[in-house]
Amino acid sequence: TVSVVLTSVLDPEQVVLGAVPVNSHDVAIDKLVLDKFLKEDLGKTIGLDSMEDFIGRRITVPNLDDYTIVGITDTESPSMFVDQGQAMYILSNASDVSDEISFGYAEDENEEVDAVSSGTIMDIDIAKGDIKIENGHKPEKAYEVIINEINKDDVKIGKEIGPEIGGHKLTVVGYYTSNYADDDTYYVNSETVRLYYIGKQKNFSAYATDVNLLKAILDESGVPSSVNDIRDRNKYINSQKDVVISALIVAAIIMLISLIEMYLMLRSSFLSRIQEVGTLRAIGLKKGDIYKMFIGEILVITFITAIPGILLMHFALAKLVNLTYYFDSVYMLTPQIGLITFAIILVFNLIAGLIPVFTTMRKTPAQILARTDI
């Protein structure tokens, strides 16, 4: 899903490749959209392997002339920046605004028109093919329409055809001829298309500097509204909180298992050398020297096991992130994260590994040598 945003709100510094759109059919795409496209390998068959490959590519929208990608932005939002005059054209046509609608005629000219057949609605300014207005005039106001001349005997100029758009029926203001004999398109102006598009939406989002003021205006006009930023932010925070909590639980379990293994391994090593430790203490070796000896052992074990494990996991996660866009938003892989991970493992290993040393060093050399749990 891509959000259509006006080029006028784009900061030139946000364009990381190419240029800011200048012409009406120039567009810029955010790298967030292209990252997802590239990671899912959707463009390899047509030679799209990098961001640079998108510059100069064309975007096709039904009923409209092609648009050219001239820039790539970094706004951290899945957006496409377009000219203000093209925004409604893109929204209405990309959303298939040319749905079938009904029109009809009445035997009595004073009788309201009933729906008897169907056609499509289109902005006359973007009409494809050759059409020529034979009678009447081009739609100039909202809710005005011209229809194919083959229907002139059924629907007179000035009559209304259904259904309603924005609470209004379309008023016939002219007839046209087309290269296609069976052309059943209803040609209206851009304002009618805009109203038709808006009328089809079940809800819409509006952005304002003063959100509460906008809500008050809408409420006063009888338009039900709600402030979404707080709701959406809380919803996002809660969803991310669930993901983080689940990840932390898994990490805590793995860490606990690792610490138990480290404790048991160093305890076994320490107990096998208890006579050595007792003898060294008896001949005057300081406690600090004993601690240093086992700290060195813990460091060696940690370096030998943790570094390969971190590198292997980093490689696996990198492959996983490249496999699907979802994991890219969940896992952050940087050298700093690797160093922090190693530091955490080292600290916990030192704590777990020195517990048996600490409990033994509280005893006198004679008590150490007299232990029977060897």
Side-chain angles (χ1 to χ4, degrees), residues 5-17 19-21 28 30 72-75 81:
V5 183
L6 300 184
T7 306
S8 56
V9 305
L10 179 62
D11 186 342
E13 294 183 358
Q14 294 175 318
V15 179
V16 294
L17 282 175
V20 176
D30 195 82
I72 296 173
T73 65
D74 186 8
T75 63
F81 295 88

Side-chain angles (χ1 to χ4, degrees), residues 250-251 254 258 305-322 331-334 337-338 341-342 345:
V250 173
I254 295 174
S258 300
T305 58
I307 292 180
I310 292 173
L311 293 176
L312 180 61
M313 185 55 65
H314 185 93
F315 175 78
L317 288 177
K319 292 295 183 182
L320 190 63
V321 166
N322 290 329
Y331 299 107
M332 182 172 64
L333 302 175
T334 63
I337 296 297
T341 302
F342 177 78
I345 293 174

Side-chain angles (χ1 to χ4, degrees), residues 6 10 15 29 63 70 75 107 119 147 157 182 185 198 214 236 275 277-278 290 372:
L6 300 184
L10 179 62
V15 179
I29 303 288
N63 305 318
V70 298
T75 63
E107 295 182 0
I147 62 176
I157 290 179
D182 59 347
T185 304
I198 293 174
L214 176 60
Y236 175 78
Q275 292 289 350
V277 172
I290 302 294
T372 59

